[in-house]
Amino acid sequence: MRPRRAAPRSRPLGDSRSPGSCKIPSNFRSETTLDEYMSRHMVPGIEGIDTRQVTRIIREKGTMKGAIVQGGPSIPEGLMEKIHRYEIKNPVRSVTAKQKYRVAGTGCRVALMDFGLKRNIIRSLEKRNMDITVFPSDVSSGEILSGMFDGLVLSNGPGDPKDCKDEIQCLKEVIGKIPVFGICLGHQLAALALGGDTEKLKYGHRGSNHPVKDLLKGNVYITSQNHGYAVIGTSLDEKEIAITHFNMNDGTVEGFRHLAHPLFTVQFHPEASPGPGDTGYLFDDFQRMMKDCMKGGQHA
Amino acid sequence: MPKRSDIRKVLVIGSGPIIIGQAAEFDYAGTQACTALKQEGIETVLFNSNPATIMTDTNIAGKIYIEPMNIEVLKKILMDERPDSILPTLGGQTGLNLAMEIFETGLTEKMGIRLLGTSVKAIRMAEDRQEFKDTMESIGQPVIASKVVTNIQDALAFAEVIEYPVIVRPAYTLGGTGGGIAQDSSELKEIGINGIRASRVGQILVEKCISGWKEIEYEVIRDGVGNVITVCNMENIDPVGVHTGDSIVVAPSQTLSDKEYQMLRTSAHEIITKLEIEGGCNVQFALDPFSFDYAVIEVNPRLSRSSALASKATGYPIAKVATKIAIGYHLDEILNEVTGKTYACFEPSLDYLVVKIPRWPFDKFVKAKRLLGTQMKATGEVMALGNSMESALLKALRSLELNTYSFDQPFVSDMSVGELRERLKKVDDMRLFVLAEAIRKGVGIQEIYDTTMVDKFFLHAIRNIVEREEKLKTMQKTDLSPEEFLELKKLGFADREIARFLRTGEKEIRHMRLTHGIKASFKMVDTCAAEFEAMTPYYYSTYDTDSESRASEREKVLVIGSGPIRIGQGIEFDYCSVHCIWALKELGYETIIINNNPETVSTDFDTADKLYFEPLTEEDVRNVVETEKPMGAIVQFGGQTAIKLAKALSGMGVAILGTSLENTDKAEDREKFDAMLGKIGIPRPEGKTVFTRDEAVEAARGLIYPVLVRPSYVLGGQGMEIAYDDQDMVEYMDIININTQEHPILVDKYMMGREIEVDAICDGEDILIPGIMEHLERAGVHSGDSISIYPPVSLSERLKKSIHAHTCAIARELGIIGMMNVQYILCNEELYVIEVNPRSSRTVPYISKVTGIPVVRLATQAIMGKKIKDMGYGLGIFPESKYFAVKVPVFSFEKLQDVDATLGPEMKSTGEVLGIGRIYKEAVFKGLLASGMTIHKDRKAVLMTVRDTDKQELVPIAESLERAGYTLYATGKTALSLNKQGIATSVVKKIGEQGTDIITLMESARLCAVINTPTKGRKPERDGFKIRRKSVETSIPCLTSLDTARAFVKCLEENVDIRTMEVLELGLMERGVQHEKD
């Protein structure tokens, strides 16, 4: 595989079933094997297992904690206890940008809150000539609002959205004052900021083939997804918020927009990479929304 | 949006006979389409000339027209049936071309008939070379530098500009007919002229050759509101240049990263959106292995062979979904029948790997050019699923039924390194073995890659197998550790090959494996990588620990399928297997099928209760048997493939249902068979059993030449020839012995007479003969290549009675329960038996259709213990139909250079058509027309050149032609003999002589037919061979049997015309028979 400027938290696992990952890769961009790449980044992995068996267990029992253990099939002493005790606390803090930085452009000026963002969100904005300022997740609402940005993008990120109390508070203070586009965790945080609720899914949506219906366009798009929590549709105030997207497989909320404020969000990854670029148009929608607001002078 | 309410009656166009480039995949597609329409309460009218299809069954389509597939017939059907729509996207290129033609007449518009699925505009954009280029450019999709030309001068001029090599692609042809790669101007001249002729519109595309680029295909689906999904993508192992139908294909692509995958996916989506297709579409790309450059090579705005493959590879029923879209449904309204929980608007996940290997006919056409290029040559294909590249490859190799279970094969092991290096430069049917052997002999991966441009990923997988093979050869049985054994099984190694490499027996290896607890497990093809619970049981084997296939408590019957389509074992056997399954389901049994052919209805996930997509070898079948523990197996319907497995199944303790194994053997074993016939007093042509060349010559001399020589236990007369003298005998024996002979070779006295064939259903006591079929050609032409007539036209009542009596006696003596096929020769008013097949034959679908008897269903009921007398169809010979049905074979000679286009005892046809008429000559004419014979009404000349023994018999034929006003040409001796009889015949010069020689005459477009009976020893350098090939290339009907010639000439003489004939709906015929019965 070819090393990319991937965020260190990304955890590529061998996803081919036995006999495992490709030992002798063949692609003109390939510089190293998956194994070497993962070793270099100290990412544990596992291969040669029956992924269908694992998937079926999770499908039936739901998401569960686990451990990769070397050696035989017996469970080492104390391991189960360790597994049960294990908890991810506020993972966003460990993956967000350490300080703000700018990716200059000539178009709309965009603030991007980094909750553990995928690089391709930046690239997708760059492609549209936007001038991007990336903020660590603990940025204050004042800093965003005083920056005279044309819009705010809420990035994806890991973990339970309800852990992000400060971020939610910040969003409460900016929504309605600036056009907002939320992606994945950003979508969940926006929902919480608007008084909605989220829940943990029995098993998450992972993969690049999730069909999502866009109710505004009336079409179904294939999307990349990677999330374990979802916005509870009934928790959203229908007088204020309209659900715009839902998942064709399990009917969960995949996107909404605010009826009064310039805000829309999606649960999936329109920036793709990996996965299909079918919903890249959402970045155009966001750009249009910002321009409309500029004309209407809606934001501060 | 739900279904459109303005669609009530739809005409579905099928693809016609099986030919190279258009095989059973369109029966799968048509059957799914008709079923889907039926579910929606839409009336269907089906048009297809191929009787061996499931789609032409009355339980699939409402009204069925088995008629010649041309515009005149189509017009009549439209006038008679007045459908509101035509669905043309399921019948391959044939369906699409017919739809285009009818549209161009303006009739559809006048009658207000819609084309569903794809518009005429879209078809033009995809099929017309120039419009295609313009369309692609308009949406920014790159295409290869190319130019459409209509004459060879322009082709040569353009080639100079873009530089050689160039690819020639004719417009509107299927399977790349008439195309090729030209390295220089002389090659371009040859290929270009052929291509212009082959194209319906006289157009070819001359294109820059981008050799070395990867060839990638996408199967995409779009609905009426613009939802688009990709069902799957596929990667060809060989780079561009080899027709995709002749390529070894892997799904999903293995050497693309997400970026390349998505780039091409997006392109495919933009294309289908631009073409506004409502249904399925196939897009072929060339991708530079060193950059993100790509080019769109081809777009098929219809279902294709690749979509059938994609459908089986993923479990996504493309044809069914495409049909529902065509009648108005949206992708998000169609349920995914595999999961039953999700919708068709998704993209399948593959957590396994699929390999397709084409099945080429070179085992039968030993003299044919085996090189592969832009013109497809394969007759069929196999597919295998595994969870590694290696295992899928090895499983696919086993599925080919060429006795190749590994890469270690004698036909490559003799090659020197030098020879292998040469072979690597060109692609032929042995590609995989040559790659493997080159690796084995130490040619480096880099060198092989540089020569072949086969991606290193694939080369490494092959190397991995070869290295394991070599290592095994150095080991002792006892050296093989359980871990290594398991690794080998995970890589797809067969027990038999492990045993061979370790110089021990398969049984010992199996025993050892089981001792280690290494057992196959089955995984499900569920479209979603186990994310959702699946309803549809479609399985493949792996060596994982967890098996997902659970045997039910129900009584189960195993049906063995017939594997890849090849000459001699075609779609007919899939028809039989499917009907057997349906009959068993009706009787309340759980049905299990094992098969490996992705083109068929039998491998649809909803045909049998359980589908195992596996090689049909003893070990692979055993794995299924051990999981399912069926009460028995039915082997009568899967052709020779299934029969060959009977013994092994019995050894596993599976009861062979119907005719017992011993009795099957009695029919196949020459000596037992002779003894049986002797006992019941039925004569057969004298014959002997031999093993060696010398024995053969001696036997033939004893019987007096000519003799018929063939190996026993074969299908389709594989290796069968008539030997006229010792020299012939020696030549044939050498060819036969190329392949290892486990079984003896039969030498029979050749008797010239009329051939008669019957299929019979037997229950151990009584028999039912649906109908007697009579061959038009005399004995010596393989029954599969003969024109077959039902009901017989020249048999007396007395003879029919004795056919019944003989058939009955044989059935009882052989203890036949189920199907039996008997072939007789009528010679000097005496009946001789020439062959008994204790199984379903290729005539079963045809005879079922023309008599209205559900032959396979009744036979299955008999196998399961029902009595014929209780079935309601009577006993003995079923009353004859009032209509005539003539089955005419169809050949694919255009696709296979260096194959002699002559009839003989070895089968050569790839498919068949049926002509149905109220009177005999109409049926014959329709049959000939449907088979693709061009009847040039405007040409009034015939060329004749026949062997000495035929000269006398030619006279009345020539007289008829003369009477009908035809100018006669003949070669020296033939002309002389005709002139002597007072028939004015002009002499044409032999090939190469000064003046107008035969070839010049044939090229002059004046000939309506060529009558040529071959002399012995069919060497390519002979004139006769060249004449026959020339007639194939110039589309002049070439009649190589005087019997066929007589029938053809009769049509010319009486000036029969399709426009004056009525088209007949199949139901009429069935009712005709029923009426008589009442």
PDB file of all heavy atoms in Angstrom, chain B residues 834-860:
ATOM      1  N   ILE B 834     -27.896 -48.050 -32.923  1.00  0.00           N
ATOM      2  CA  ILE B 834     -26.496 -47.608 -32.903  1.00  0.00           C
ATOM      3  C   ILE B 834     -26.068 -47.059 -31.552  1.00  0.00           C
ATOM      4  O   ILE B 834     -24.909 -47.044 -31.222  1.00  0.00           O
ATOM      5  CB  ILE B 834     -26.150 -46.607 -34.032  1.00  0.00           C
ATOM      6  CG1 ILE B 834     -27.189 -45.511 -34.137  1.00  0.00           C
ATOM      7  CG2 ILE B 834     -25.955 -47.325 -35.344  1.00  0.00           C
ATOM      8  CD1 ILE B 834     -26.789 -44.413 -35.109  1.00  0.00           C
ATOM      9  N   GLU B 835     -27.001 -46.605 -30.786  1.00  0.00           N
ATOM     10  CA  GLU B 835     -26.588 -46.021 -29.517  1.00  0.00           C
ATOM     11  C   GLU B 835     -27.753 -46.007 -28.539  1.00  0.00           C
ATOM     12  O   GLU B 835     -28.890 -45.737 -28.932  1.00  0.00           O
ATOM     13  CB  GLU B 835     -26.119 -44.581 -29.751  1.00  0.00           C
ATOM     14  CG  GLU B 835     -25.098 -44.105 -28.756  1.00  0.00           C
ATOM     15  CD  GLU B 835     -24.592 -42.714 -29.099  1.00  0.00           C
ATOM     16  OE1 GLU B 835     -24.131 -42.514 -30.237  1.00  0.00           O
ATOM     17  OE2 GLU B 835     -24.692 -41.835 -28.249  1.00  0.00           O
ATOM     18  N   VAL B 836     -27.469 -46.296 -27.285  1.00  0.00           N
ATOM     19  CA  VAL B 836     -28.465 -46.129 -26.233  1.00  0.00           C
ATOM     20  C   VAL B 836     -27.840 -45.272 -25.143  1.00  0.00           C
ATOM     21  O   VAL B 836     -26.761 -45.572 -24.649  1.00  0.00           O
ATOM     22  CB  VAL B 836     -28.904 -47.491 -25.639  1.00  0.00           C
ATOM     23  CG1 VAL B 836     -29.825 -47.273 -24.444  1.00  0.00           C
ATOM     24  CG2 VAL B 836     -29.601 -48.337 -26.685  1.00  0.00           C
ATOM     25  N   ASN B 837     -28.485 -44.197 -24.821  1.00  0.00           N
ATOM     26  CA  ASN B 837     -28.008 -43.346 -23.725  1.00  0.00           C
ATOM     27  C   ASN B 837     -28.977 -43.451 -22.561  1.00  0.00           C
ATOM     28  O   ASN B 837     -30.132 -43.061 -22.693  1.00  0.00           O
ATOM     29  CB  ASN B 837     -27.916 -41.882 -24.172  1.00  0.00           C
ATOM     30  CG  ASN B 837     -26.847 -41.684 -25.217  1.00  0.00           C
ATOM     31  OD1 ASN B 837     -25.696 -42.045 -25.003  1.00  0.00           O
ATOM     32  ND2 ASN B 837     -27.232 -41.127 -26.353  1.00  0.00           N
ATOM     33  N   PRO B 838     -28.523 -43.997 -21.459  1.00  0.00           N
ATOM     34  CA  PRO B 838     -29.436 -44.178 -20.321  1.00  0.00           C
ATOM     35  C   PRO B 838     -29.615 -42.882 -19.557  1.00  0.00           C
ATOM     36  O   PRO B 838     -29.424 -42.819 -18.352  1.00  0.00           O
ATOM     37  CB  PRO B 838     -28.708 -45.228 -19.486  1.00  0.00           C
ATOM     38  CG  PRO B 838     -27.264 -44.963 -19.753  1.00  0.00           C
ATOM     39  CD  PRO B 838     -27.166 -44.442 -21.143  1.00  0.00           C
ATOM     40  N   ARG B 839     -29.935 -41.830 -20.260  1.00  0.00           N
ATOM     41  CA  ARG B 839     -30.041 -40.510 -19.637  1.00  0.00           C
ATOM     42  C   ARG B 839     -30.821 -39.595 -20.569  1.00  0.00           C
ATOM     43  O   ARG B 839     -31.139 -39.960 -21.696  1.00  0.00           O
ATOM     44  CB  ARG B 839     -28.650 -39.939 -19.398  1.00  0.00           C
ATOM     45  CG  ARG B 839     -27.814 -39.871 -20.663  1.00  0.00           C
ATOM     46  CD  ARG B 839     -26.544 -39.062 -20.492  1.00  0.00           C
ATOM     47  NE  ARG B 839     -25.692 -39.165 -21.656  1.00  0.00           N
ATOM     48  CZ  ARG B 839     -25.805 -38.400 -22.734  1.00  0.00           C
ATOM     49  NH1 ARG B 839     -26.762 -37.489 -22.817  1.00  0.00           N
ATOM     50  NH2 ARG B 839     -24.992 -38.554 -23.770  1.00  0.00           N
ATOM     51  N   SER B 840     -31.045 -38.402 -20.105  1.00  0.00           N
ATOM     52  CA  SER B 840     -31.715 -37.394 -20.895  1.00  0.00           C
ATOM     53  C   SER B 840     -30.774 -36.931 -21.998  1.00  0.00           C
ATOM     54  O   SER B 840     -29.581 -36.820 -21.791  1.00  0.00           O
ATOM     55  CB  SER B 840     -32.054 -36.235 -19.965  1.00  0.00           C
ATOM     56  OG  SER B 840     -32.872 -35.327 -20.627  1.00  0.00           O
ATOM     57  N   SER B 841     -31.328 -36.666 -23.165  1.00  0.00           N
ATOM     58  CA  SER B 841     -30.473 -36.281 -24.288  1.00  0.00           C
ATOM     59  C   SER B 841     -30.753 -34.850 -24.698  1.00  0.00           C
ATOM     60  O   SER B 841     -31.630 -34.197 -24.160  1.00  0.00           O
ATOM     61  CB  SER B 841     -30.757 -37.187 -25.471  1.00  0.00           C
ATOM     62  OG  SER B 841     -31.973 -36.791 -26.064  1.00  0.00           O
ATOM     63  N   ARG B 842     -30.003 -34.405 -25.716  1.00  0.00           N
ATOM     64  CA  ARG B 842     -30.166 -33.000 -26.113  1.00  0.00           C
ATOM     65  C   ARG B 842     -31.469 -32.745 -26.850  1.00  0.00           C
ATOM     66  O   ARG B 842     -31.825 -31.598 -27.073  1.00  0.00           O
ATOM     67  CB  ARG B 842     -28.952 -32.529 -26.915  1.00  0.00           C
ATOM     68  CG  ARG B 842     -28.892 -32.907 -28.346  1.00  0.00           C
ATOM     69  CD  ARG B 842     -27.709 -32.255 -29.017  1.00  0.00           C
ATOM     70  NE  ARG B 842     -26.455 -32.690 -28.399  1.00  0.00           N
ATOM     71  CZ  ARG B 842     -25.899 -33.872 -28.627  1.00  0.00           C
ATOM     72  NH1 ARG B 842     -26.462 -34.713 -29.461  1.00  0.00           N
ATOM     73  NH2 ARG B 842     -24.784 -34.218 -28.026  1.00  0.00           N
ATOM     74  N   THR B 843     -32.181 -33.803 -27.241  1.00  0.00           N
ATOM     75  CA  THR B 843     -33.443 -33.580 -27.943  1.00  0.00           C
ATOM     76  C   THR B 843     -34.632 -33.412 -26.995  1.00  0.00           C
ATOM     77  O   THR B 843     -35.730 -33.098 -27.434  1.00  0.00           O
ATOM     78  CB  THR B 843     -33.733 -34.744 -28.914  1.00  0.00           C
ATOM     79  OG1 THR B 843     -33.514 -35.963 -28.216  1.00  0.00           O
ATOM     80  CG2 THR B 843     -32.835 -34.682 -30.120  1.00  0.00           C
ATOM     81  N   VAL B 844     -34.384 -33.621 -25.701  1.00  0.00           N
ATOM     82  CA  VAL B 844     -35.500 -33.585 -24.753  1.00  0.00           C
ATOM     83  C   VAL B 844     -36.246 -32.239 -24.719  1.00  0.00           C
ATOM     84  O   VAL B 844     -37.473 -32.202 -24.791  1.00  0.00           O
ATOM     85  CB  VAL B 844     -35.052 -34.052 -23.349  1.00  0.00           C
ATOM     86  CG1 VAL B 844     -36.046 -33.653 -22.284  1.00  0.00           C
ATOM     87  CG2 VAL B 844     -34.865 -35.564 -23.348  1.00  0.00           C
ATOM     88  N   PRO B 845     -35.535 -31.110 -24.645  1.00  0.00           N
ATOM     89  CA  PRO B 845     -36.285 -29.845 -24.634  1.00  0.00           C
ATOM     90  C   PRO B 845     -37.125 -29.670 -25.894  1.00  0.00           C
ATOM     91  O   PRO B 845     -38.280 -29.244 -25.836  1.00  0.00           O
ATOM     92  CB  PRO B 845     -35.181 -28.775 -24.581  1.00  0.00           C
ATOM     93  CG  PRO B 845     -33.950 -29.471 -24.176  1.00  0.00           C
ATOM     94  CD  PRO B 845     -34.094 -30.916 -24.498  1.00  0.00           C
ATOM     95  N   TYR B 846     -36.530 -30.023 -27.005  1.00  0.00           N
ATOM     96  CA  TYR B 846     -37.206 -29.856 -28.297  1.00  0.00           C
ATOM     97  C   TYR B 846     -38.457 -30.735 -28.376  1.00  0.00           C
ATOM     98  O   TYR B 846     -39.545 -30.260 -28.688  1.00  0.00           O
ATOM     99  CB  TYR B 846     -36.155 -30.121 -29.382  1.00  0.00           C
ATOM    100  CG  TYR B 846     -36.543 -30.803 -30.658  1.00  0.00           C
ATOM    101  CD1 TYR B 846     -37.565 -30.304 -31.473  1.00  0.00           C
ATOM    102  CD2 TYR B 846     -35.845 -31.921 -31.098  1.00  0.00           C
ATOM    103  CE1 TYR B 846     -37.872 -30.929 -32.677  1.00  0.00           C
ATOM    104  CE2 TYR B 846     -36.148 -32.540 -32.297  1.00  0.00           C
ATOM    105  CZ  TYR B 846     -37.160 -32.052 -33.089  1.00  0.00           C
ATOM    106  OH  TYR B 846     -37.461 -32.662 -34.266  1.00  0.00           O
ATOM    107  N   ILE B 847     -38.300 -32.005 -28.009  1.00  0.00           N
ATOM    108  CA  ILE B 847     -39.453 -32.896 -28.125  1.00  0.00           C
ATOM    109  C   ILE B 847     -40.525 -32.524 -27.083  1.00  0.00           C
ATOM    110  O   ILE B 847     -41.714 -32.658 -27.325  1.00  0.00           O
ATOM    111  CB  ILE B 847     -39.029 -34.390 -28.055  1.00  0.00           C
ATOM    112  CG1 ILE B 847     -40.077 -35.283 -28.717  1.00  0.00           C
ATOM    113  CG2 ILE B 847     -38.738 -34.859 -26.657  1.00  0.00           C
ATOM    114  CD1 ILE B 847     -40.115 -35.219 -30.210  1.00  0.00           C
ATOM    115  N   SER B 848     -40.084 -32.007 -25.935  1.00  0.00           N
ATOM    116  CA  SER B 848     -41.058 -31.562 -24.926  1.00  0.00           C
ATOM    117  C   SER B 848     -41.922 -30.445 -25.508  1.00  0.00           C
ATOM    118  O   SER B 848     -43.128 -30.407 -25.326  1.00  0.00           O
ATOM    119  CB  SER B 848     -40.360 -30.995 -23.687  1.00  0.00           C
ATOM    120  OG  SER B 848     -39.508 -31.945 -23.129  1.00  0.00           O
ATOM    121  N   LYS B 849     -41.242 -29.523 -26.174  1.00  0.00           N
ATOM    122  CA  LYS B 849     -41.961 -28.361 -26.683  1.00  0.00           C
ATOM    123  C   LYS B 849     -42.910 -28.701 -27.795  1.00  0.00           C
ATOM    124  O   LYS B 849     -44.024 -28.188 -27.858  1.00  0.00           O
ATOM    125  CB  LYS B 849     -40.966 -27.324 -27.145  1.00  0.00           C
ATOM    126  CG  LYS B 849     -40.729 -26.437 -25.972  1.00  0.00           C
ATOM    127  CD  LYS B 849     -39.659 -25.528 -25.959  1.00  0.00           C
ATOM    128  CE  LYS B 849     -39.314 -25.446 -24.485  1.00  0.00           C
ATOM    129  NZ  LYS B 849     -38.234 -24.584 -24.207  1.00  0.00           N
ATOM    130  N   VAL B 850     -42.472 -29.564 -28.710  1.00  0.00           N
ATOM    131  CA  VAL B 850     -43.326 -29.806 -29.874  1.00  0.00           C
ATOM    132  C   VAL B 850     -44.450 -30.790 -29.571  1.00  0.00           C
ATOM    133  O   VAL B 850     -45.429 -30.838 -30.306  1.00  0.00           O
ATOM    134  CB  VAL B 850     -42.519 -30.250 -31.110  1.00  0.00           C
ATOM    135  CG1 VAL B 850     -41.517 -29.169 -31.497  1.00  0.00           C
ATOM    136  CG2 VAL B 850     -41.794 -31.561 -30.889  1.00  0.00           C
ATOM    137  N   THR B 851     -44.315 -31.562 -28.503  1.00  0.00           N
ATOM    138  CA  THR B 851     -45.401 -32.493 -28.190  1.00  0.00           C
ATOM    139  C   THR B 851     -46.256 -31.995 -27.033  1.00  0.00           C
ATOM    140  O   THR B 851     -47.348 -32.482 -26.812  1.00  0.00           O
ATOM    141  CB  THR B 851     -44.854 -33.874 -27.768  1.00  0.00           C
ATOM    142  OG1 THR B 851     -44.014 -33.689 -26.618  1.00  0.00           O
ATOM    143  CG2 THR B 851     -44.050 -34.510 -28.887  1.00  0.00           C
ATOM    144  N   GLY B 852     -45.735 -31.026 -26.290  1.00  0.00           N
ATOM    145  CA  GLY B 852     -46.470 -30.543 -25.128  1.00  0.00           C
ATOM    146  C   GLY B 852     -46.373 -31.466 -23.934  1.00  0.00           C
ATOM    147  O   GLY B 852     -47.024 -31.252 -22.918  1.00  0.00           O
ATOM    148  N   ILE B 853     -45.546 -32.491 -24.038  1.00  0.00           N
ATOM    149  CA  ILE B 853     -45.367 -33.395 -22.887  1.00  0.00           C
ATOM    150  C   ILE B 853     -44.233 -32.857 -22.013  1.00  0.00           C
ATOM    151  O   ILE B 853     -43.142 -32.609 -22.509  1.00  0.00           O
ATOM    152  CB  ILE B 853     -45.001 -34.821 -23.355  1.00  0.00           C
ATOM    153  CG1 ILE B 853     -46.148 -35.390 -24.186  1.00  0.00           C
ATOM    154  CG2 ILE B 853     -44.697 -35.729 -22.165  1.00  0.00           C
ATOM    155  CD1 ILE B 853     -45.932 -36.824 -24.602  1.00  0.00           C
ATOM    156  N   PRO B 854     -44.499 -32.662 -20.732  1.00  0.00           N
ATOM    157  CA  PRO B 854     -43.403 -32.215 -19.855  1.00  0.00           C
ATOM    158  C   PRO B 854     -42.473 -33.392 -19.571  1.00  0.00           C
ATOM    159  O   PRO B 854     -42.550 -34.023 -18.521  1.00  0.00           O
ATOM    160  CB  PRO B 854     -44.135 -31.754 -18.597  1.00  0.00           C
ATOM    161  CG  PRO B 854     -45.432 -32.504 -18.602  1.00  0.00           C
ATOM    162  CD  PRO B 854     -45.774 -32.834 -20.023  1.00  0.00           C
ATOM    163  N   VAL B 855     -41.614 -33.690 -20.522  1.00  0.00           N
ATOM    164  CA  VAL B 855     -40.839 -34.933 -20.503  1.00  0.00           C
ATOM    165  C   VAL B 855     -40.010 -35.080 -19.219  1.00  0.00           C
ATOM    166  O   VAL B 855     -40.056 -36.120 -18.568  1.00  0.00           O
ATOM    167  CB  VAL B 855     -39.929 -35.007 -21.754  1.00  0.00           C
ATOM    168  CG1 VAL B 855     -39.055 -36.255 -21.706  1.00  0.00           C
ATOM    169  CG2 VAL B 855     -40.768 -34.999 -23.021  1.00  0.00           C
ATOM    170  N   VAL B 856     -39.292 -34.020 -18.868  1.00  0.00           N
ATOM    171  CA  VAL B 856     -38.416 -34.148 -17.697  1.00  0.00           C
ATOM    172  C   VAL B 856     -39.236 -34.316 -16.420  1.00  0.00           C
ATOM    173  O   VAL B 856     -38.870 -35.075 -15.535  1.00  0.00           O
ATOM    174  CB  VAL B 856     -37.464 -32.933 -17.581  1.00  0.00           C
ATOM    175  CG1 VAL B 856     -36.578 -33.056 -16.359  1.00  0.00           C
ATOM    176  CG2 VAL B 856     -36.614 -32.805 -18.842  1.00  0.00           C
ATOM    177  N   ARG B 857     -40.356 -33.613 -16.367  1.00  0.00           N
ATOM    178  CA  ARG B 857     -41.189 -33.745 -15.172  1.00  0.00           C
ATOM    179  C   ARG B 857     -41.686 -35.174 -15.015  1.00  0.00           C
ATOM    180  O   ARG B 857     -41.613 -35.761 -13.927  1.00  0.00           O
ATOM    181  CB  ARG B 857     -42.373 -32.771 -15.230  1.00  0.00           C
ATOM    182  CG  ARG B 857     -43.120 -32.742 -13.905  1.00  0.00           C
ATOM    183  CD  ARG B 857     -44.100 -31.611 -13.836  1.00  0.00           C
ATOM    184  NE  ARG B 857     -45.389 -32.036 -14.346  1.00  0.00           N
ATOM    185  CZ  ARG B 857     -46.283 -31.206 -14.875  1.00  0.00           C
ATOM    186  NH1 ARG B 857     -46.035 -29.925 -14.964  1.00  0.00           N
ATOM    187  NH2 ARG B 857     -47.438 -31.665 -15.312  1.00  0.00           N
ATOM    188  N   LEU B 858     -42.172 -35.744 -16.106  1.00  0.00           N
ATOM    189  CA  LEU B 858     -42.678 -37.110 -16.024  1.00  0.00           C
ATOM    190  C   LEU B 858     -41.546 -38.087 -15.683  1.00  0.00           C
ATOM    191  O   LEU B 858     -41.717 -38.996 -14.870  1.00  0.00           O
ATOM    192  CB  LEU B 858     -43.345 -37.515 -17.342  1.00  0.00           C
ATOM    193  CG  LEU B 858     -44.522 -36.647 -17.818  1.00  0.00           C
ATOM    194  CD1 LEU B 858     -45.243 -37.336 -18.972  1.00  0.00           C
ATOM    195  CD2 LEU B 858     -45.513 -36.357 -16.686  1.00  0.00           C
ATOM    196  N   ALA B 859     -40.394 -37.870 -16.307  1.00  0.00           N
ATOM    197  CA  ALA B 859     -39.265 -38.772 -16.037  1.00  0.00           C
ATOM    198  C   ALA B 859     -38.851 -38.675 -14.572  1.00  0.00           C
ATOM    199  O   ALA B 859     -38.540 -39.686 -13.935  1.00  0.00           O
ATOM    200  CB  ALA B 859     -38.094 -38.425 -16.948  1.00  0.00           C
ATOM    201  N   THR B 860     -38.865 -37.465 -14.045  1.00  0.00           N
ATOM    202  CA  THR B 860     -38.493 -37.291 -12.638  1.00  0.00           C
ATOM    203  C   THR B 860     -39.506 -37.991 -11.738  1.00  0.00           C
ATOM    204  O   THR B 860     -39.144 -38.645 -10.763  1.00  0.00           O
ATOM    205  CB  THR B 860     -38.402 -35.789 -12.298  1.00  0.00           C
ATOM    206  OG1 THR B 860     -37.499 -35.178 -13.206  1.00  0.00           O
ATOM    207  CG2 THR B 860     -37.921 -35.567 -10.875  1.00  0.00           C
TER     208      THR B 860
END
